[in-house]
Amino acid sequence: MSDERLRRVRDRVRHFPDFPVPGVLFRDISPLLKDPAAFRTLIDLLEDHLRASFPKIDFIAGLDSRGFLIGPPLAQRLGIGFVLIRKKGKLPGPTESVSYALEYGKAELEIQSDAVEPGQKVVIVDDLLATGGTMRAACELIKRLQAEVLECLVIIELKLLKGAEKLNSIPFYSLLQYD
């Protein structure tokens, strides 16, 4: 992977101390999305990684909502479909849902019951991995539909929060890591 390409992406991540609460350093991808050359570089890097890692992928599954920003262009580049994993109550028709714990409370994710078929190979994408609860819930949904999670893929990993550990044996890849 080119250090120059990775630097171009990293330079477009903005940091906001004490957001949304004191003590949190928020990693903002908005500047990355605003810069077409940097965003193209991001998708290039993710595409290169997936093509080198997996000979066959059936779908990219994106997490609500920032996974919806990187998943579709990545799926298009790979010539495959994109499926939605959304917050509860946002998808029509029959769905599968899973509850998971948040730092303060619970949340639910859903996927349409016919989004993927048994045996299909899926990569789950999101912008950031923090504590890993949302990504783990997304993996559970894909497994309930009897599809295979090839990898969980994010732009940013907050390593101190050890979210990748919650994914157990599921392969995980992050483009940028922060302590």
Side-chain angles (χ1 to χ4, degrees), residues 12 63 73 81 99 115 117 142 158 166 168 173 176:
R12 295 303 181 276
L63 289 175
S99 293
E117 295 179 14
I142 297 298
L158 303 179
K166 283 193 179 167
N168 300 323
Y173 180 79
L176 305 173

Side-chain angles (χ1 to χ4, degrees), residues 34 95 97 109 155 157:
K34 281 175 47 177
T95 61
S97 67
L109 287 179
I155 301 169
E157 177 187 8

Side-chain angles (χ1 to χ4, degrees), residues 79-141:
I80 60 176
F82 176 79
V83 297
L84 304 167
I85 298 177
R86 300 219 52 197
K87 295 173 180 125
K88 184 157 179 71
K90 301 290 185 180
L91 291 171
T95 61
E96 288 288 326
S97 67
V98 65
S99 293
Y100 62 100
L102 294 171
E103 193 171 338
Y104 302 104
K106 286 191 171 212
E108 281 188 79
L109 287 179
E110 286 184 323
I111 191 169
Q112 289 175 317
S113 299
D114 63 353
V116 296
E117 295 179 14
Q120 289 186 313
K121 299 176 183 318
V122 180
V123 172
I124 302 173
V125 301
D126 203 5
D127 67 323
L128 182 133
L129 184 77
T131 61
T134 305
M135 188 65 80
R136 188 165 111 190
C139 292
E140 171 69 22
L141 285 174

Side-chain angles (χ1 to χ4, degrees), residues 142-153:
I142 297 298
K143 288 178 180 179
R144 281 192 191 174
L145 296 179
Q146 299 175 28
E148 179 185 352
V149 178
L150 294 175
E151 184 174 75
C152 296
L153 173 69

